[in-house]
Amino acid sequence: MAGPGYGKRSAPDQVQRPKADFTHLPPREAAIAAYIDRLPEGADISVKTLAKTLPYGQCALRTALNRIQSAGHLRRGRERLESEAGGNRWITRSWFSRTARDDAWWAAFTRGDVTEPPPKPTRSRAHILLAALGRTAPALSLSAADCANLAPLLTEWFARGATEDTILRALTDGLPTAIHHPAALLRRRLTDKLPPEPVRTPPRRTLECANCGLPGRPEALPGGMCRACRGDHLRQPNPLLPAPSVQAHAQQIRAAMSARRHTPTPG
């Protein structure tokens, strides 16, 4: 896995992987995009690492990644993460989307307006925790059928961000002296102590130019490139002069040429 800044982060709400991926890209870019798409979450997708695996040099890979970004599959930027201690820090990110996205979608993603479903824990995780309760509290030993019946309730705890330690304390603290029906007791606790749904806070993200790393608003980085790197300042024509100014300038030129013709040439 990569260190902060180059690990792959999958963008949400992607289409299923089709048989022919990235056919709208040139062959080299399509091959690189397909390779990145199949890498696991957090895999290193820096130019140096890709050059060790793919048959392309770093310069070619850098160009290809910029083209993949221009096509709407990749964005690079920064995101603020909060620590458990209450602090926060900004880390660099590389977001990849199998589905090509336009600049408006990436702007909405940066603002947090794109729904990002949290990863759903597998049922086996809940089943394993319930099956292991008997080791912590023998009076809470459950049958396989009990684990299967209670697992959906416990899965909802995981979906709301509860940790295993939090769940164990909620299920085992303050147990009565005699427990005749452990499954019934656990069902009541899983229902009555269910934590509230987490408050959704919008992410703090910024995008950066793929070429020079200049941070900016998504609207200022169409295709993931800033104005200077796109060369827009070079392509913009000079503003047109108003008609009276053009006519006056033409008259000055004609007057100067006429005066030059009538000026005697020194012998």
Side-chain angles (χ1 to χ4, degrees):
M1 294 300 164
Y6 299 102
K8 171 186 172 183
R9 297 294 186 276
S10 296
D13 195 25
Q14 301 186 51
V15 299
Q16 295 296 322
R17 184 176 290 120
K19 293 182 179 180
D21 292 336
F22 309 106
T23 54
H24 58 288
L25 295 174
R28 182 184 66 181
E29 283 69 22
I32 295 172
Y35 175 78
I36 294 175
D37 183 38
R38 285 163 173 76
L39 290 175
E41 194 78 357
D44 192 340
I45 57 174
S46 64
V47 168
K48 291 183 178 180
T49 299
L50 293 176
K52 297 176 183 178
T53 307
L54 299 176
Y56 306 107
Q58 293 187 25
C59 184
L61 283 167
R62 190 173 292 108
T63 300
L65 288 177
N66 287 343
R67 290 176 178 172
I68 292 170
Q69 175 162 305
S70 297
H73 295 284
L74 180 68
R75 286 293 186 275
R76 284 162 275 194
R78 294 166 63 84
E79 184 173 20
R80 190 179 74 174
L81 298 183
E82 296 184 0
S83 65
E84 296 181 356
N88 58 74
R89 62 191 181 103
W90 285 89
I91 65 171
T92 53
R93 289 290 203 198
S94 298
W95 294 286
F96 183 83
S97 172
R98 181 186 315 115
T99 306
R101 305 294 190 182
D102 58 17
D103 293 325
W105 188 93
W106 283 111
F109 170 75
T110 304
R111 296 191 303 268
D113 293 341
V114 176
T115 302
E116 297 184 67
K120 295 182 179 181
T122 60
R123 180 168 177 168
S124 60
R125 181 184 179 190
H127 189 102
I128 291 172
L129 188 148
L130 290 167
L133 271 179
R135 302 174 185 174
T136 303
L140 297 179
S141 297
L142 300 171
S143 66
D146 291 333
C147 293
N149 291 330
L150 294 174
L153 295 176
L154 183 52
T155 298
E156 182 61 26
W157 282 62
F158 285 129
R160 298 189 179 199
T163 64
E164 294 188 3
D165 289 340
T166 300
I167 295 172
L168 286 175
R169 287 195 299 269
L171 297 183
T172 60
D173 285 356
L175 292 175
T177 304
I179 300 176
H180 302 289
H181 302 287
L185 173 65
L186 292 174
R187 178 178 294 275
R188 174 56 65 88
R189 290 198 169 196
L190 287 171
T191 302
D192 294 348
K193 296 186 177 183
L194 180 66
E197 294 186 4
V199 178
R200 180 181 178 274
T201 57
R204 295 290 300 275
R205 298 178 180 135
T206 62
L207 299 185
E208 294 178 351
C209 175
N211 188 50
C212 67
L214 180 71
R217 296 176 60 84
E219 296 79 5
L221 299 170
M225 300 282 279
C226 69
R227 178 172 175 264
C229 292
R230 293 195 310 272
D232 288 356
H233 63 297
L234 300 177
R235 293 194 293 267
Q236 290 181 351
N238 292 327
L240 297 177
L241 294 174
S245 298
V246 175
Q247 294 173 359
H249 189 59
Q251 291 177 358
Q252 292 175 2
I253 295 175
R254 286 193 295 267
M257 292 177 65
S258 177
R260 184 175 181 180
R261 285 197 302 268
H262 293 87
T263 300
T265 303

